[in-house]
Amino acid sequence: MVDFKAIRDEFPILDQEIHGHPLVYLDSAATSQKPECVIDAEANFYRTINAGVHRGAHELAARSTVAFEEARAKVAKLVGANAAEGEEEIVVTGGATAGLNLLATAFGNASLGRGEEAAKRFALKPGDEIVVSRAEHHSVLLPFQELAYRTGATFKWIDLTEDGRVRTDNLEEVITDRTKVVAVTHVGNTTGAITNVAPIIKRAHEVGAVFILDACQSVPHLKVDFHALDVDFAAWSAHKMYGPTGVGFLYGKREMLEALPPANFGGSMVELAYMDHEAQYMAPPARFEAGTQPVAQVVAAGVAAEWMMNIGMENIEAHEKTISAELLKLGDINGIRILGPRENVDRIGTVAFDVKGVHPHDVGQFIDAQGIAIRVGHHCAQPVHRHFGLYASNRASSGVYNSVADAQALVEAAKGIRPFFGAE
Ligand SMILES: Cc1ncc(COP(=O)(O)O)c(C=O)c1O
């Protein structure tokens, strides 16, 4: 039995009052708070072993390299990826956005004929298709839309059901023999809906397309296994999984990473560099990690991954399910509409809602005045909001430190919104 009250006590930031009320943090989909062990790991790295990795012959450099690679292995274990030397499937990035842009840039480079023979599988030309879903965060939508502009490929998307789930009933129509890339979110950052990715991945592979998963909102909340899912690439951020900001990870099947040409160029990614002929690049993951890496943050992200595994991803998922059940009661309040599935099935504790007649910024301030932090705006997912006929909404999102009482506090506060603003 996991003591979630004790887990909450590991988060120093939560022990404070906001506007005279105990802080209720329900904005973990934007960024999660950090447990003491993660904060300590980052600080202790600087106190004891700070040095550049994979360079220098001195002892501190050796120790920081070991710490960096051990962190990569812990993160790999969290998502069921390989970590053995020479078989690494985890690339360090600056975050999910950086990882997704890395892929789009590398595919663009392959389209220009860069890379080895195997890189041709990523090359796009006019007539080819890139498919995303309407549920995407802008960090999937925009890099792949740009890739389409640059290569002349056609940009297409899978639409949503009325309650905001990614449709799977028309995949043969949308994903065709001309589709080369399919990029879909694992969990909608607005709707909280878990995408039924299996048939999408199956269809993508049937037509020979590369499948990319945006795992930003799944890795912190669900047990994920990229091998079992059979995704080709997946990107996510450390700061949403109780780790530091400024760092993220890109998973790639080993053979995919080996075939992919580099996207960023510079130090620590090249075997041989010359003035008068082409450089010879390193094997993955180094090939994709140009420049000095955020070592302290990676080490702390490894601690976060281990901390999550110690609690147990199944336990985290079950705990957050009790919170989503409570948050969904927002939909019972007169004038409040949930944007996403109403039932507590195949969803996480991210619940976006519209308050009829009250602007989201007013809602946010009203709720904040009671010490409760939620997100308002379009959550970097404008097409999702258009699907619901809106341009912005309010979003509550849970983390492992939340209690049912937190969700109840929001629901109670939300009952007062429309009366306070005199909404018709
Ligand atoms: C589903 C999803 N994808 C991608 C991102 C981008 O993550 P980051 O801003 O950490 O790069 C986010 C962040 O909100 C997200 O929720």
Side-chain angles (χ1 to χ4, degrees):
M1 196 55 189
V2 180
D3 181 353
F4 282 97
K5 167 78 184 69
I7 286 172
R8 182 193 181 97
D9 292 342
E10 292 182 47
F11 290 80
I13 199 171
L14 298 177
D15 186 21
Q16 64 174 304
E17 291 200 341
I18 299 283
H19 306 310
H21 299 273
L23 168 63
V24 172
Y25 187 76
L26 284 168
D27 196 17
S28 297
T31 198
S32 68
Q33 299 302 347
K34 324 299 172 199
E36 204 88 65
C37 61
V38 169
I39 299 168
D40 287 348
E42 192 170 332
N44 286 339
F45 176 86
Y46 287 126
R47 286 203 181 95
T48 57
I49 58 171
N50 179 45
V53 293
H54 301 302
R55 43 180 113 185
H58 60 80
E59 181 57 23
L60 285 189
R63 288 185 196 173
S64 73
T65 302
V66 168
F68 184 74
E69 292 305 326
E70 279 178 358
R72 191 196 304 277
K74 286 173 192 166
V75 169
K77 191 168 173 201
L78 179 70
V79 296
N82 290 337
E85 200 178 333
E87 291 167 32
E88 299 94 334
E89 292 181 311
I90 299 294
V91 173
V92 170
T93 67
T97 305
L100 292 157
N101 276 281
L102 185 160
L103 285 179
T105 305
F107 289 14
N109 293 346
S111 308
L112 293 170
R114 304 295 298 151
E116 308 287 322
E117 186 60 26
K120 289 209 167 84
R121 68 187 307 166
F122 306 114
L124 290 146
K125 57 180 185 322
D128 290 340
E129 296 169 350
I130 298 172
V131 174
V132 302
S133 86
R134 188 185 281 276
E136 301 315 311
H137 188 279
H138 295 165
S139 67
V140 171
L141 175 66
L142 301 179
F144 289 98
Q145 215 167 39
E146 279 296 325
L147 179 63
Y149 295 143
R150 274 185 278 141
T151 58
T154 305
F155 188 79
K156 296 169 70 178
W157 59 92
I158 309 168
D159 238 309
L160 306 181
T161 59
E162 209 183 317
D163 63 353
R165 291 191 185 277
V166 178
R167 281 176 63 180
T168 53
D169 57 336
N170 62 344
L171 294 177
E172 300 203 351
E173 243 169 74
V174 187
I175 302 173
T176 74
D177 287 343
R178 281 178 293 194
T179 306
K180 291 282 160 55
V181 180
V182 178
V184 172
T185 192
H186 203 180
V187 175
N189 80 322
T190 300
T191 60
I194 301 172
T195 308
N196 179 13
V197 284
I200 309 175
I201 296 168
K202 184 166 170 280
R203 177 66 187 157
H205 287 160
E206 242 165 43
V207 301
V210 173
F211 183 87
I212 299 162
L213 189 72
D214 176 354
C216 247
Q217 299 291 351
S218 58
V219 169
H221 305 287
L222 311 171
K223 188 170 174 57
V224 299
D225 182 328
F226 294 141
H227 284 180
L229 282 173
D230 196 25
V231 300
D232 297 311
F233 293 102
W236 73 104
S237 294
H239 72 92
K240 294 180 201 279
M241 51 163 265
Y242 312 107
T245 48
V247 59
F249 301 97
L250 175 68
Y251 161 83
K253 274 183 188 160
R254 184 69 197 181
E255 74 266 23
M256 289 284 167
L257 290 178
E258 278 171 2
L260 193 68
N264 300 309
F265 300 84
S268 301
M269 54 78 73
V270 65
E271 211 75 74
L272 296 166
Y274 307 92
M275 294 308 287
D276 54 357
H277 64 95
E278 229 186 286
Q280 197 178 309
Y281 299 115
M282 287 173 139
R287 186 195 300 165
F288 304 105
E289 295 175 356
T292 304
Q293 296 299 299
V295 190
Q297 289 71 23
V298 170
V299 169
V303 169
E306 196 169 43
W307 180 84
M308 290 164 74
M309 287 186 280
N310 284 341
I311 299 171
M313 289 312 299
E314 292 92 343
N315 294 326
I316 291 178
E317 190 177 337
H319 173 66
E320 289 195 52
K321 200 129 199 98
T322 63
I323 296 156
S324 50
E326 205 59 38
L327 289 176
L328 285 167
K329 292 183 184 162
L330 286 164
D332 299 335
I333 301 170
N334 186 30
I336 292 191
R337 171 166 67 121
I338 304 273
L339 313 179
R342 281 296 311 268
E343 71 279 20
N344 198 20
V345 178
D346 292 332
R347 63 145 38 259
I348 65 163
T350 292
V351 178
F353 58 100
D354 175 56
V355 183
K356 191 164 171 243
V358 187
H359 192 281
H361 273 95
D362 290 337
V363 172
Q365 267 183 356
F366 179 83
I367 296 294
D368 176 61
Q370 302 177 52
I372 305 172
I374 61 167
R375 167 101 192 243
V376 297
H378 54 61
H379 325 313
C380 304
Q382 291 180 5
V384 179
H385 282 81
R386 276 187 212 111
H387 172 78
F388 290 110
L390 299 167
Y391 57 90
S393 68
N394 317 284
R395 182 185 69 185
S397 55
S398 70
V400 63
Y401 31 69
N402 287 119
S403 61
V404 168
D406 289 345
Q408 280 167 345
L410 174 64
V411 174
E412 277 314 304
K415 286 178 185 162
I417 302 169
R418 295 186 78 243
F420 179 83
F421 289 100
E424 297 292 310

